[in-house]
Amino acid sequence: MFERLLGWSGRIPINDPVDRRNAVFMQWLFVFEGFRTPLNKIYMLLFDWSYLQSTYYDQAKLSPGMAVVIDLGTDVAMTIAAWLGLYLIRLGRFHLAVGEYLAVLLGSGIIAYAAFGFSLGASSDQILIVVLALAALMLGRKALWMSYMMIMLTFIVGMTSNYIFSRAMYVTAGPYGELPSLALDYVQIVVILDLSVTSLRKGLAESNAHRRQLQHEMTERERAQEQLLHAQKMDAVGRLASGIAHDLNNVLEIILGFTTERDRIDDSVTERNKDALMKDALVLADALDGIELAARRGSSICRKLLSFSRSDVTHVESFDATDALRELQPLLRQSLPPTVRLSIDVPDMPLVINFDRSQFELALLNLAANARDAMPNGGECSIAVAQKDSSTMVLSIHDTGVGMSKDVRMRIFEPFFTTKPSGSGTGLGLAIVYSLIDRAGGHIEVSSAFGAGTTFHIYLPVAIAKAVDALPA
């Protein structure tokens, strides 16, 4: 119940974060005062009437009956002002709500001091201090000093009432003899509130400025991250270019080889028998099938390269990691020299993950390039995918290269750290891989020793619901 009330008080159409927080407090204050003021007066009328009559009503400057009317009237006005303030806050009019409530309090104070005089009105000083605090904290400097001036006016009205109805009291001292000391006392309170609230607001403004600057820097960092990822893709494309050109050349040689089959058809078709024509037609059909297959293979290689190299922003999607690895196999093959054998082991069941697909491919290509560099004399690069448990899959990349020491293994994910000669590496490949895996909610581990090769284990959360949907019926 209490949590529901807190949630209700926080659902207000106020955009400014400071006003929104203050509005939550003011709502509860309005509710409290909306009940306290009338209930307290009812209690006093029922159980302390004699005290009210002897202390206040009979001592009022006006008649006792008029004093009762003024007392009850100001309490009713303050009660209405409290509930009206709550209503205005629910409409999003925070400053208006606080302003009208303070105006009613100050107006009621002036009326009370006029009716009961300054000495009897001194018990309401607590309310005047509350007015100053609310004006400073909720509305700011201008409202604070305006409230101070209204309080001084209230004291003047009370002292004037005393002078009009009790002139004998001021034979030796004027009617406003206490005003200077009161003005100094209250101005001290106002200055303290003013300086304190101004410091708080300046500190908040500086904090907001730092927050906006941090958000800007984070945005710039994300943009730089995207540009770095694209640069890494372009670097991978450059490494793949020679292999792609070799494959495309093979495709074109196959197409050219099949096109020579047209020479089997003579210009003098009429002199050939029907069987020979049918045989040549079948050979030509086979040649056209071969041309189509070769052309499709070349087109597939080009599309994959273009898709990988495009400069898209991060786009997380759900896809089957096993299918992605199968489709990436040609590019993985191209990233390795002929002396390195590539083996890929994937399960039959789908393993759906949430990842940016091009970044997933970039991570694998970077790890394959790392394996290539670790095997200058050739070897084997093995990539395997398996399900570790119901919520995690593991992707392992193993090479039979030279391995690495413990010191190097502890630093391989540091940006710009590399063991390659100058000009042979940037030291960003594995740092990028680590960042991508971490952003996807996974983690990466490495095991290596001199002469025993290196194995990277990438653990990624499985999109369980979608993986279940993808299972064959």
Side-chain angles (χ1 to χ4, degrees), residues 218-233:
M218 291 176 64
T219 301
E220 291 298 320
R221 180 180 178 182
E222 291 176 357
R223 185 179 294 110
Q225 177 78 1
E226 298 293 343
Q227 293 172 350
L228 179 60
L229 289 176
H230 184 60
Q232 283 283 301
K233 290 181 183 180

Side-chain angles (χ1 to χ4, degrees), residues 86-130:
L86 177 64
Y87 174 74
L88 290 173
I89 287 180
R90 299 307 302 175
L91 294 180
R93 309 292 299 276
F94 173 71
H95 285 208
L96 179 61
V98 179
E100 65 85 20
Y101 182 68
L102 295 182
V104 170
L105 289 184
L106 290 170
S108 299
I110 291 175
I111 294 173
Y113 271 67
F116 297 99
F118 173 72
S119 59
L120 294 179
S123 61
S124 62
D125 284 356
Q126 180 180 357
I127 296 178
L128 301 180
I129 299 296
V130 171

Side-chain angles (χ1 to χ4, degrees), residues 379-400:
E380 181 179 359
C381 177
S382 303
I383 301 178
V385 178
Q387 185 160 4
K388 181 176 181 289
D389 52 47
S390 60
S391 61
T392 309
M393 63 154 280
V394 57
L395 190 152
S396 303
I397 299 94
H398 172 73
D399 66 69
T400 58

Side-chain angles (χ1 to χ4, degrees), residues 25-74:
F25 164 76
M26 287 303 301
Q27 286 179 97
W28 292 109
L29 177 63
F30 286 148
V31 170
F32 175 76
E33 291 297 328
F35 283 114
R36 184 197 69 82
T37 302
L39 292 178
N40 179 66
K41 185 59 63 178
I42 291 172
Y43 175 85
M44 294 292 290
L45 291 174
L46 292 177
F47 301 102
D48 281 331
W49 169 254
S50 57
Y51 171 79
L52 287 175
Q53 186 176 21
S54 60
T55 305
Y56 291 101
Y57 301 148
D58 291 344
Q59 302 298 324
K61 307 304 179 184
L62 305 176
S63 64
M66 183 61 68
V68 172
V69 171
I70 291 175
D71 185 34
L72 295 180
T74 53

Side-chain angles (χ1 to χ4, degrees), residues 73-386:
T74 53
D75 283 348
V76 169
M78 289 188 290
T79 301
I80 294 174
W83 291 111
L84 178 59
L86 177 64
Y87 174 74
L88 290 173
I89 287 180
R90 299 307 302 175
L91 294 180
R93 309 292 299 276
F94 173 71
H95 285 208
L96 179 61
V98 179
E100 65 85 20
Y101 182 68
L102 295 182
V104 170
L105 289 184
L106 290 170
S108 299
I110 291 175
I111 294 173
Y113 271 67
F116 297 99
F118 173 72
S119 59
L120 294 179
S123 61
S124 62
D125 284 356
Q126 180 180 357
I127 296 178
L128 301 180
I129 299 296
V130 171
V131 167
L132 290 176
L134 291 178
L137 295 173
M138 304 299 165
L139 299 181
R141 168 178 289 179
K142 183 177 180 181
L144 172 63
W145 285 100
M146 287 183 63
S147 298
Y148 169 75
M149 299 303 296
M150 291 298 296
I151 289 174
M152 293 300 102
L153 177 61
T154 301
F155 290 151
I156 292 173
V157 168
M159 293 175 182
T160 302
S161 177
N162 284 348
Y163 178 74
I164 292 174
F165 293 101
S166 304
R167 290 179 181 268
M169 295 173 56
Y170 303 100
V171 175
T172 57
Y176 307 109
E178 297 183 29
L179 185 61
S181 62
L182 283 173
L184 290 176
D185 291 342
Y186 273 83
V187 83
Q188 181 182 6
I189 297 173
V190 170
V191 169
I192 292 173
L193 286 173
D194 188 7
L195 294 178
S196 300
V197 173
T198 300
S199 298
L200 288 174
R201 290 183 178 272
K202 285 184 178 179
L204 179 60
E206 292 176 358
S207 177
N208 289 335
H210 291 321
R211 176 177 55 81
R212 288 191 294 269
Q213 181 180 1
L214 179 60
Q215 289 177 341
H216 176 72
E217 292 175 354
M218 291 176 64
T219 301
E220 291 298 320
R221 180 180 178 182
E222 291 176 357
R223 185 179 294 110
Q225 177 78 1
E226 298 293 343
Q227 293 172 350
L228 179 60
L229 289 176
H230 184 60
Q232 283 283 301
K233 290 181 183 180
M234 292 298 100
D235 181 62
V237 169
R239 295 195 302 264
L240 295 170
S242 61
I244 295 294
H246 179 269
D247 264 12
L248 286 178
N249 183 65
N250 288 340
V251 170
L252 295 176
E253 291 291 341
I254 293 171
I255 293 175
L256 291 172
F258 279 121
T259 57
T260 60
E261 294 295 331
R262 74 180 186 278
D263 295 334
R264 294 175 59 109
I265 303 176
D266 293 334
D267 294 334
S268 56
V269 175
T270 57
E271 297 178 2
R272 306 289 298 275
N273 58 46
K274 184 177 180 179
D275 292 338
L277 286 175
M278 183 61 69
K279 183 178 179 180
D280 287 344
L282 292 176
V283 171
L284 183 59
D286 290 339
L288 290 174
D289 287 341
I291 290 173
E292 181 183 4
L293 291 175
R296 287 185 182 277
R297 181 170 177 242
S299 177
S300 175
I301 292 173
C302 291
R303 282 199 308 269
K304 190 65 182 175
L305 188 62
L306 290 172
S307 174
F308 171 74
S309 62
R310 68 180 185 268
S311 178
D312 286 344
V313 296
T314 300
H315 175 64
V316 178
E317 58 181 309
S318 297
F319 61 90
D320 183 3
T322 59
D323 285 344
L325 185 56
R326 291 190 191 98
E327 295 176 9
L328 191 64
Q329 185 171 354
L331 292 185
L332 290 170
R333 177 65 268 174
Q334 297 299 333
S335 67
L336 301 173
T339 55
V340 175
R341 187 169 69 89
L342 174 67
S343 64
I344 294 180
D345 180 21
V346 295
D348 294 331
M349 64 179 296
L351 294 174
V352 181
I353 59 174
N354 294 323
F355 213 126
D356 182 294
R357 185 157 184 155
S358 65
Q359 294 180 4
F360 177 75
E361 295 169 350
L362 176 62
L364 291 179
L365 288 171
N366 277 345
L367 290 171
N370 189 76
R372 175 204 63 204
D373 295 339
M375 298 181 287
N377 299 321
E380 181 179 359
C381 177
S382 303
I383 301 178
V385 178

